[in-house]
């Protein structure tokens, strides 16, 4: 699977106290445009899985190339997140946290889920979309950050 280049997203939801929680994910895709549906796969051994099960809603934040440090930061378990990575959240009216300065952020309501092995696939209906200034997307390929222009 490392031979397939993917974009990098940070999936956001809220924890048991209603505070923002996030994790990096590249298992994300668009399902259809009408209605706008996306899916994301979340491992059962993550905090995100528990919080997403409870909240029933999530955000998808598509990272730009300059946000590599943010992607790496949220790829770690919460207890291992240290360092000077700057980020901020904005909450939507629906209570979905958006990360600031991402290329695109989507608020999604879970409308279906299915367990496969150690992951759950969540199908989300997009209820809000925010597009910021465009730029080059952050990509992941062969188990590392990837910049096609550098090849």
């Amino acid at each position: 699977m490392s031979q397939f280049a993917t974009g990098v997203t940070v999936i956001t939801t809220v924890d048991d106290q209603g505070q923002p929680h996030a994790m990096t994910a590249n298992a994300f895709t668009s399902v259809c445009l009408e209605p706008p549906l996306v899916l994301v796969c979340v491992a059962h051994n993550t905090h995100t899985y528990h919080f997403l099960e409870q909240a029933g809603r999530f955000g998808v934040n598509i990272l730009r190339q300059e946000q590599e440090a943010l992607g790496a930061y949220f790829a770690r378990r919460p207890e291992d997140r240290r360092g000077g990575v700057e980020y901020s959240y904005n909450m939507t009216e629906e209570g979905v946290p958006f990360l600031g300065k991402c290329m695109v952020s989507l608020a999604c309501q879970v409308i279906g889920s299915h367990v496969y092995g150690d992951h759950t696939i969540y199908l989300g209906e997009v209820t809000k979309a925010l597009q910021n200034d465009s730029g080059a997307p952050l990509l992941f390929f062969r188990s590392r950050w990837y910049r096609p222009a550098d090849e």
Side-chain angles (χ1 to χ4, degrees), residues 66-145:
E66 299 80 27
Q67 293 176 302
E68 181 179 314
L70 194 61
Y73 180 79
F74 286 117
R76 297 183 203 119
R77 296 187 69 74
E79 58 272 15
D80 297 331
R81 294 177 185 166
R82 293 174 185 78
V85 177
E86 292 185 27
Y87 62 92
S88 63
Y89 292 105
N90 298 308
M91 294 295 271
T92 68
E93 303 81 39
E94 301 90 2
V96 175
F98 279 177
L99 275 171
K101 301 180 183 176
C102 293
M103 288 182 69
V104 174
S105 293
L106 306 171
C108 304
Q109 182 68 41
V110 174
I111 61 168
S113 63
H114 196 81
V115 175
Y116 282 106
D118 61 355
H119 280 65
T120 294
I121 299 170
Y122 292 98
L123 185 64
E125 183 169 2
V126 178
T127 59
K128 181 176 183 163
L130 174 65
Q131 182 173 346
N132 292 309
D133 294 332
S134 63
L138 181 59
L139 300 176
F140 202 70
F141 178 60
R142 294 186 178 159
S143 302
R144 64 181 177 86
W145 307 113

Side-chain angles (χ1 to χ4, degrees), residues 13-21 51 55:
T13 191
V14 291
D15 66 16
D16 296 332
Q17 285 76 46
Q19 296 301 306
H21 173 81
F51 298 145

